[in-house]
Amino acid sequence: MTDPAKDIYDPEFVADLFDRCSSSYRSWSAVSSFGFVAIWRHQCVARLPRRVGSHPVVVDLMAGTGEVWPYVLRRIPEVATITALDISHRMHLEAVERLHRSYSDKITHIEANALQSDLPANHADLLVSTFGLKTFNTDQQSELARQIARILKPGGSFSLIEASDPKGWMLRPFYRFYLDRMLPLIERYFLRGANDFSMIGTYTQNFGDCTYFADALRANGLSVEMKKHFFGCATSVAGTKPKHHT
């Protein structure tokens, strides 16, 4: 059970949360989103450029169990390596267990907080992240934007997507009812009283959408375009680091 007294943005809390979710993360996220997470991952990767030179280096922040890797490798098969960074130890274990032999040698795992990683500056040609942003408050989002600007090579590209709160959509009340009321009940029934995935409702409502994060990226000198997906139930940001970034 989630302790209401805990800071839900504390890195230790987030790591513990995803450690508990790790074994059922892939199946539960797919079922509870009615398959939209797969669609949104595909749309996120589609915002990356297809041609990025020979043997590009990719960084996947908040990599989870690696759902986005097949999309990246299908779009850009000449990728040299994907550095998968995640704070959850068990998410890394789940990812390793499910790696396909044809690309397992391309994946490097780093267990670390994305806000404090040791990745070198100007390291990545491409950076991607799917469904990790909501676990950061605004101060943390500002730091994450700084890290992305640091990690990307000049001329490098990024794309991140996150489940969002579709304010202004006529069906938003039903969406919120599902996330805030129905999902906790379903989870408790099918996952033996757990309410970890139900944190999605809290996180998405607090997160809103990618607007703040897009501004934070721009403040760090990156060009950014924000996009809504399915009436704003998800939002994404994509763009580049200028070749003469200072």
Side-chain angles (χ1 to χ4, degrees):
M1 298 292 287
T2 302
D3 184 349
K6 292 283 189 179
D7 175 7
I8 65 171
Y9 298 104
D10 180 80
E12 184 178 344
F13 177 90
V14 174
D16 288 344
L17 175 67
F18 283 98
D19 279 347
R20 293 193 301 270
C21 293
S22 59
S23 61
S24 53
Y25 179 82
R26 296 190 302 277
S27 57
W28 184 252
S29 61
V31 170
S32 63
S33 72
F34 302 100
F36 273 100
V37 289
I39 296 171
W40 291 335
R41 283 192 179 97
H42 173 77
Q43 292 173 340
C44 177
V45 172
R47 301 197 70 189
L48 292 171
R50 192 182 292 273
R51 293 183 176 86
V52 287
S54 61
H55 309 298
V57 172
V58 179
V59 169
D60 179 14
L61 293 181
M62 295 82 77
T65 53
E67 271 71 26
V68 80
W69 306 336
Y71 298 99
V72 172
L73 292 168
R74 279 198 295 269
R75 182 169 177 81
I76 312 164
E78 64 272 20
V79 162
T81 182
I82 297 176
T83 299
L85 190 147
D86 199 279
I87 198 171
S88 166
H89 177 68
R90 292 197 60 83
M91 281 292 204
H92 280 293
L93 295 181
E94 290 287 333
V96 169
E97 289 177 3
R98 71 185 296 270
L99 283 179
H100 194 279
R101 289 181 182 177
S102 64
Y103 60 82
S104 61
D105 60 332
K106 290 181 177 285
I107 313 299
T108 299
H109 292 268
I110 298 178
E111 185 178 327
N113 183 344
L115 305 180
Q116 300 173 342
S117 80
D118 292 329
L119 288 175
N122 303 322
H123 172 70
D125 297 286
L126 300 169
L127 185 144
V128 66
S129 182
T130 58
F131 308 115
L133 273 176
K134 63 182 171 292
T135 60
F136 295 116
N137 61 29
T138 53
D139 288 342
Q140 291 168 327
Q141 288 178 49
S142 295
E143 177 57 26
L144 183 66
R146 191 186 73 81
Q147 289 291 333
I148 290 173
R150 184 185 67 82
I151 293 167
L152 275 175
K153 293 178 181 177
S157 299
F158 63 90
S159 182
L160 300 89
I161 196 165
E162 185 53 84
S164 303
D165 191 352
K167 294 178 180 178
W169 185 34
M170 61 181 294
L171 297 181
R172 178 180 179 267
F174 297 98
Y175 175 82
R176 293 266 27 126
F177 179 78
Y178 172 71
L179 285 184
D180 300 334
R181 301 294 182 87
M182 292 300 298
L183 194 57
L185 291 175
I186 295 169
E187 184 180 9
R188 289 185 194 123
Y189 181 78
F190 286 102
L191 296 183
R192 301 178 182 178
N195 67 345
D196 297 325
F197 284 100
S198 304
M199 289 296 297
I200 293 170
T202 301
Y203 278 124
T204 55
Q205 189 164 31
N206 292 351
F207 177 72
D209 60 28
C210 283
T211 299
Y212 180 90
F213 188 60
D215 289 340
L217 291 166
R218 292 186 188 104
N220 281 275
L222 304 181
S223 66
V224 184
E225 183 181 352
M226 181 173 142
K227 184 176 181 180
K228 290 184 178 182
H229 303 262
F230 197 71
F231 305 100
C233 291
T235 52
S236 65
V237 287
T240 58
K241 178 177 178 177
K243 292 185 177 180
H244 303 291
H245 185 273
T246 57

